[in-house]
Amino acid sequence: METVSSSGVLPLGKISGLDNRNFNQKLSLSCPKIRSFNSAHSQSSKRLKGSQLLNSIQKRNPVGQAFSSAGVYTYVGSDVESPTHDVEERVGVLFLNLGGPETLHDVQPFLFNLFADPDIIRLPRLFRFLQGPLAQLISVLRAPKSKDGYAAIGGGSPLRKITDEQAQAIKVALEAKNMHVNVYVGMRYWYPFTEEAIEQLLRKTRLQGLLCCHSILNSLFLQLGQAIHVLENIFREDAYLSMLPVSIIQCWYQRQGYINSMADLIEKELRSFSEPGKVMIFFSAHGVPVSYVEDAGDPYRDQMEECIYLIMQELKGRGISNKHTLAYQSRVGPVQWLKPYTDEVLVELGQKGVKNLLAVPVSEHIETLEEIDMEYKHLALESGIKNWGRVPALG
């Protein structure tokens, strides 16, 4: 993943070559033609003074769940250690992900956190008091089916372990280039929550600057929204922090390294078919509610379509001109999600006589892969597709 690349020690006021801004100004973006998340969420941001953040974390995490930040620091219980004053000044890297239940017991509370997010289920202002009760109802109703899915992949999501390993790899790669960094993992819907990671980062390190990046290739509101809420509130209320250089890598779907890697995987898997030229390349992306795109202006769909175009252009340059299509999976809740839906397209392809299909997960995570490998493979074979393959997840 080529999210950060540069050489030499990161100088003050400059992080990985990106322009920096304070949080009371527009945030710098690494993706073109995308508006600042700062302005997109300013009306709903709840102000939190830096000194109040720890209390917020304690209320949200009463059990004192332990977590590691890329093998550097560990937080246990509700008390956070005071920072040492002889720590070398470093750049902080906040590595974000959505999170997932680590055990079957975690599934229902994880789902509650998910559906309690007003970015997931957007209720009219007059009905927002129903957000919590509605989230409780949906999470209880969906928990049995979701538990079955997690049981099928070992009893829980390995996302936490994988994300920690990725964060450690980022730290090792940057320090090999003489960049002194501390990397912290923050999850949106499960431990370690973003607030916890930010608290650790600010307490443990004298920061030279802060870089936020994430494991989803697009600049999805779901991924960055909450982290920016928290950061804006903290930085606004602290004179020192308000002067700290901050950069955000909002997306990396158009990076040539990513495009080449995806093309390599597809090219390799096509060779496993007896007639590679007749294989339909089926891109399946995680869906989002239509309201994100049409009402909130999220560029997710445009970025996903551009990503697929770039991958196919790379393949054409290698002499591979297979037909391809894109669909969206993993819709939940009563709202309309991006179309076409993966399950419906698979049935249609089978009815049209497609016999060879290579599934390519994009914006994937472990639950997306479980759907593809179990539910969608079975549906495809039932629908008349004879030869099924899947490209392994890049991450």
Side-chain angles (χ1 to χ4, degrees):
M1 184 174 72
E2 295 185 340
T3 51
V4 280
S5 60
S6 145
S7 60
V9 179
L10 298 177
L12 183 62
K14 199 76 171 176
I15 303 178
S16 71
L18 300 178
D19 294 331
N20 299 291
R21 299 290 185 271
N22 296 330
F23 268 103
N24 58 352
Q25 302 173 358
K26 295 283 187 179
L27 291 171
S28 63
L29 308 179
S30 61
C31 297
K33 301 180 182 178
I34 300 172
R35 61 190 175 88
S36 169
F37 279 22
N38 183 25
S39 59
H41 290 277
S42 59
Q43 292 182 349
S44 61
S45 293
K46 178 182 177 183
R47 290 185 177 273
L48 251 181
K49 293 183 179 180
S51 60
Q52 294 174 329
L53 180 63
L54 181 56
N55 290 333
S56 171
I57 294 172
Q58 291 172 342
K59 292 177 181 177
R60 188 170 182 181
N61 182 21
V63 297
Q65 179 93 4
F67 73 93
S68 278
S69 52
V72 181
Y73 296 118
T74 301
Y75 165 71
V76 182
S78 58
D79 294 326
V80 178
E81 289 184 27
S82 299
T84 58
H85 297 288
D86 57 350
V87 176
E88 180 182 4
E89 208 171 60
R90 286 175 171 248
V91 170
V93 178
L94 181 60
F95 188 53
L96 305 171
N97 211 323
L98 297 181
E102 297 177 45
T103 69
L104 296 182
H105 180 73
D106 297 334
V107 170
Q108 190 273 322
F110 165 77
L111 291 175
F112 174 84
N113 290 342
L114 182 70
F115 294 114
D117 184 349
D119 283 337
I120 295 291
I121 298 180
R122 297 179 177 181
L123 297 176
R125 186 179 298 274
L126 290 176
F127 297 99
R128 287 179 187 171
F129 70 95
L130 293 174
Q131 191 86 46
L134 182 60
Q136 180 68 19
L137 175 63
I138 296 175
S139 65
V140 169
L141 293 176
R142 286 188 61 86
K145 181 181 178 181
S146 294
K147 284 183 178 180
D148 289 343
Y150 284 109
I153 59 173
S157 172
L159 188 63
R160 163 76 176 281
K161 178 178 180 293
I162 293 171
T163 305
D164 281 343
E165 291 172 350
Q166 291 174 330
Q168 179 64 26
I170 290 174
K171 177 178 173 63
V172 170
L174 289 176
E175 295 202 336
K177 297 183 177 184
N178 200 28
M179 301 179 190
H180 303 295
V181 299
N182 284 339
V183 184
Y184 296 80
V185 169
M187 303 288 190
R188 181 152 193 185
Y189 300 117
W190 204 243
Y191 302 106
F193 291 112
T194 305
E195 296 96 328
E196 296 173 304
I198 294 171
E199 177 66 21
Q200 283 285 287
L201 187 149
L202 295 178
R203 291 288 186 91
K204 288 283 188 180
T205 311
R206 288 210 305 265
L207 292 180
Q208 183 183 17
L210 178 63
L211 173 66
C212 297
C213 58
H214 57 97
S215 60
I216 293 181
L217 69 157
N218 313 79
S219 57
L220 184 60
F221 283 176
L222 283 175
Q223 183 69 11
L224 288 172
Q226 183 203 46
I228 293 178
H229 280 334
V230 175
L231 286 170
E232 282 181 328
N233 292 326
I234 297 171
F235 278 53
R236 227 184 250 124
E237 301 294 339
D238 189 292
Y240 167 73
L241 294 177
S242 68
M243 301 302 295
L244 189 70
V246 178
S247 286
I248 296 176
I249 297 176
Q250 286 205 213
C251 60
W252 39 274
Y253 70 92
Q254 76 281 57
R255 299 284 291 185
Q256 193 59 46
Y258 171 75
I259 299 301
N260 290 343
S261 296
M262 290 298 295
D264 289 344
L265 291 173
I266 293 170
E267 184 176 14
K268 180 180 177 181
E269 290 301 317
L270 285 174
R271 295 195 198 105
S272 66
F273 289 84
S274 58
E275 297 180 284
K278 294 183 178 181
V279 177
M280 169 70 73
I281 300 175
F282 184 81
F283 294 95
S284 186
H286 198 291
V288 297
V290 171
S291 61
Y292 284 22
V293 175
E294 296 184 354
D295 298 335
D298 195 308
Y300 179 79
R301 179 169 58 193
D302 290 341
Q303 291 180 356
M304 189 58 65
E305 291 174 357
E306 183 183 358
C307 176
I308 303 311
Y309 170 79
L310 293 172
I311 293 172
M312 291 307 302
Q313 286 298 110
E314 175 63 28
L315 288 171
K316 286 179 182 178
R318 304 179 185 191
I320 299 171
S321 300
N322 294 55
K323 293 181 179 179
H324 73 280
T325 191
L326 168 65
Y328 297 91
Q329 65 181 89
S330 306
R331 65 187 185 274
V332 295
V335 298
Q336 184 178 355
W337 285 52
L338 288 182
K339 291 184 177 180
Y341 297 141
T342 293
D343 51 355
E344 295 178 358
V345 173
L346 286 173
V347 173
E348 292 173 5
L349 291 175
Q351 292 172 345
K352 291 178 179 179
V354 172
K355 300 300 180 184
N356 304 288
L357 186 142
L358 178 62
V360 183
V362 282
S363 69
E364 80 281 343
H365 53 74
I366 190 65
E367 292 79 9
T368 310
L369 299 179
E370 184 270 337
E371 276 188 315
I372 292 175
D373 288 344
M374 298 181 183
E375 296 180 31
Y376 295 142
K377 178 180 179 180
H378 178 72
L379 177 61
L381 296 176
E382 264 192 347
S383 301
I385 293 170
K386 300 298 183 183
N387 302 304
W388 166 278
R390 175 175 73 79
V391 168
L394 187 60

